[in-house]
Amino acid sequence: MAKKKDQSKNNSSKKIPSGKLIGSKVLVSDEKEANTLYQKSFFGEMKAGGKLNLSLIEALYLLEKEKLDIIQGKKKIKFEELMDKAVQEDPLAYVQYVTYDDLRERGYIVKTGFKFGAHFRIYNRGDIPGEAHSSCMVHCLPENFQMSLTDISRIVRLGHSVKKKMWIAAVDNEGDLTYYEVKRIKP
Amino acid sequence: MAKKKDQSKNNSSKKIPSGKLIGSKVLVSDEKEANTLYQKSFFGEMKAGGKLNLSLIEALYLLEKEKLDIIQGKKKIKFEELMDKAVQEDPLAYVQYVTYDDLRERGYIVKTGFKFGAHFRIYNRGDIPGEAHSSCMVHCLPENFQMSLTDISRIVRLGHSVKKKMWIAAVDNEGDLTYYEVKRIKP
Amino acid sequence: MAKKKDQSKNNSSKKIPSGKLIGSKVLVSDEKEANTLYQKSFFGEMKAGGKLNLSLIEALYLLEKEKLDIIQGKKKIKFEELMDKAVQEDPLAYVQYVTYDDLRERGYIVKTGFKFGAHFRIYNRGDIPGEAHSSCMVHCLPENFQMSLTDISRIVRLGHSVKKKMWIAAVDNEGDLTYYEVKRIKP
Amino acid sequence: MAKKKDQSKNNSSKKIPSGKLIGSKVLVSDEKEANTLYQKSFFGEMKAGGKLNLSLIEALYLLEKEKLDIIQGKKKIKFEELMDKAVQEDPLAYVQYVTYDDLRERGYIVKTGFKFGAHFRIYNRGDIPGEAHSSCMVHCLPENFQMSLTDISRIVRLGHSVKKKMWIAAVDNEGDLTYYEVKRIKP
């Protein structure tokens, strides 16, 4: 299958976009490449001057899908090296990557949920960031994660206050995902 | 206010059913009294010979609502004494009682959820135990309860396998209830 | 000083209210005693039949201030025993007690903040639960508590959505308290 | 768009100031150019002989805004190259740059906060360094930053001791900024 990929790349003679690892960001400076990544699937954030700002999670996803080369110093960084770096910064990075990958593969536009105190926010299929509100907040947690009922109350209440669904993406020790929706009800 | 209640009871001259505390059960032996409790609202379980078997939680509810006298040895047991006993057997008994009371007052038929690994099962309004399946499993937890995602996975899985909704009844430190529905979703 | 307290109690011949430890609650069944505790300072929650429901934190406070005797089985429970029990249920119980005590001594009415995903909610001085909204949510944390910026984002956002101030009560290893207010600003 | 900028520059025939990258500083040696940068907006620090000393963050900002050419060896350094260098020295450099840019664009005079243990200090609008005290310390942190309450205590204490506000600039994975003010309070 790896071969097949190579062939298709050779056939189409496509050059994939390239970004530079800067701290915990990947910057795509070529305006055309930046547009390709942003306009199609809303990866990253467009900055002044047509530069595209990708988070490590987004960069990991694009790197693994062979849609982006990432340059550190003078050479291309490998997926494992970048994952290493991401996990050193945030112990939950792997769990977030697995969830991001899964949601993207399901066709969702996935963006950071920081302002809502969540890992990600996602949009209903067909909705576009900037034109529609996101519909759902996603919290990514490993299977052994301990929490109190007060923690659950907090994230549910928050989802309620912004009228978004609240999902927990549980990543088990084999990297398999289960999604839970938690909502407050009136019996 | 307690006085007033006594008077009104004297006026109407109603005699309330009476049960005997036997281990962690309350047994109502008078067949007519047993039927009154069971047929109306499906309290307890009818046993051979027309005897009614009540759980401690059911007994506490009926005792507090003055619908049942409970005899231990030769004398009537008080609510606090019975609660004491229930809590010694199960530290979550109080939380279960608060939830049972709330669901009953909302008009639900509430039965034990033991076979489903839950505290309670409840029926859709209008549905009757024995004729319809219960629709929902209820787990009762105090606000400071600590759990892992594995705990949540287990209870959701159980609900899923029997096609029942899974509710968490969170009892806060003021005894107020918040209900959460947790379900597995396919994004 | 203990002597002095005893004398003053003897002089005024006051009998202090008494509650029963039931699971992780303390129940004050005497309606007059319940009213004394509730009407003056809004300790606990009044339940049907004039019973007062106190949380372990409230009970610890009243016990330590010699305003409540707490009965477990047949004998009075000591402060240390009750604290032991509380901490076994919730590792943050001590930190919550220290904060509760401090806020009460400053004259605040302090109630659970569970529904807002916080430990406590407090009322502006002069405001009364049921008549006014609480003004502030309090999160109680030990000095070594680790959190991510996303956690802070979540609690600030939540406070914002319910128009309440968000305080962090930091309890250091000597049991001393420092309060921080965190709010979102527009520079 | 880049083309358009070039044309307008060509039309007005403005020559922009030029600095030399020396270690982790940029030195503007032309006194007139140095004055232009310093007097207008207080970029950098005036040194003996009318030379201006710019930090990497300041230099990055001026470079991106096309208000400064930066020479390394014999040729102009590009934004990405300079950012690379900055991040190698300080992993938080990108987050600091994003914050610096945002605060400058809002009209604040932003200077290093090093002496106060912060990333930046800023002045009330209308206040001028040297004539007025700065009013606020800014700590720049990425969304996944992990910290303990002790970290928060330290930065708040520092702000308190110099009577300055303490802000956290949280940079999320999209490079969007949220500002939090944290202050010690006496309840």
Side-chain angles (χ1 to χ4, degrees), chain A residues 136-156:
Chain A
C136 186
M137 286 159 41
V138 185
H139 296 259
C140 310
L141 302 172
E143 72 168 76
N144 58 355
F145 194 80
Q146 290 281 331
M147 56 191 151
S148 75
L149 213 47
T150 305
D151 295 326
I152 290 180
S153 165
R154 192 180 304 141
I155 56 182
V156 172

Side-chain angles (χ1 to χ4, degrees), chain D residues 31-110:
Chain D
E31 196 168 345
K32 207 176 145 195
E33 287 180 356
N35 279 335
T36 307
L37 290 168
Y38 186 73
Q39 283 170 4
K40 203 173 160 193
S41 309
F42 299 93
F43 291 109
E45 210 61 18
M46 290 301 288
K47 295 289 172 192
K51 280 178 184 127
L52 187 71
N53 210 335
L54 296 164
S55 73
L56 282 189
I57 302 296
E58 291 172 316
L60 280 163
Y61 174 78
L62 292 167
L63 180 57
E64 207 275 331
K65 297 288 181 255
E66 301 182 5
K67 291 179 179 169
L68 182 71
D69 284 335
I70 300 171
I71 312 298
Q72 185 182 31
K74 301 258 169 185
K75 61 186 186 104
K76 289 187 192 176
I77 195 167
K78 283 183 192 160
F79 179 81
E80 287 73 22
E81 293 168 329
L82 191 59
M83 181 62 88
D84 228 23
K85 190 176 158 54
V87 168
Q88 274 164 33
E89 284 184 16
D90 181 353
L92 288 181
Y94 181 76
V95 166
Q96 286 175 44
Y97 163 74
V98 169
T99 308
Y100 184 91
D101 177 65
D102 185 74
L103 289 170
R104 276 287 184 183
E105 294 301 296
R106 287 170 188 274
Y108 285 100
I109 294 170
V110 189

Side-chain angles (χ1 to χ4, degrees), chain B residues 43-78:
Chain B
F43 291 109
E45 211 60 19
M46 288 302 288
K47 295 290 170 189
K51 281 180 182 125
L52 187 71
N53 209 337
L54 296 164
S55 72
L56 282 189
I57 301 295
E58 291 172 316
L60 280 163
Y61 174 77
L62 292 167
L63 180 57
E64 206 274 330
K65 297 289 182 253
E66 302 183 3
K67 290 177 178 171
L68 182 72
D69 284 335
I70 301 171
I71 312 298
Q72 185 181 31
K74 301 262 172 184
K75 59 183 186 104
K76 290 186 192 176
I77 195 168
K78 283 182 194 162

Side-chain angles (χ1 to χ4, degrees), chain A residues 4 10-11 22 27 30 37 46 55 73 81 107 123 127 133 141 145 149 162 169 172-173 182 185:
Chain A
K4 215 172 171 183
N10 291 342
N11 289 348
I22 291 172
L27 214 66
D30 182 291
L37 290 168
M46 290 300 290
S55 72
E81 292 168 330
Y123 291 79
D127 280 354
H133 287 293
L141 302 172
F145 194 80
L149 213 47
V162 292
D172 72 17
N173 287 339
V182 188
I185 53 161

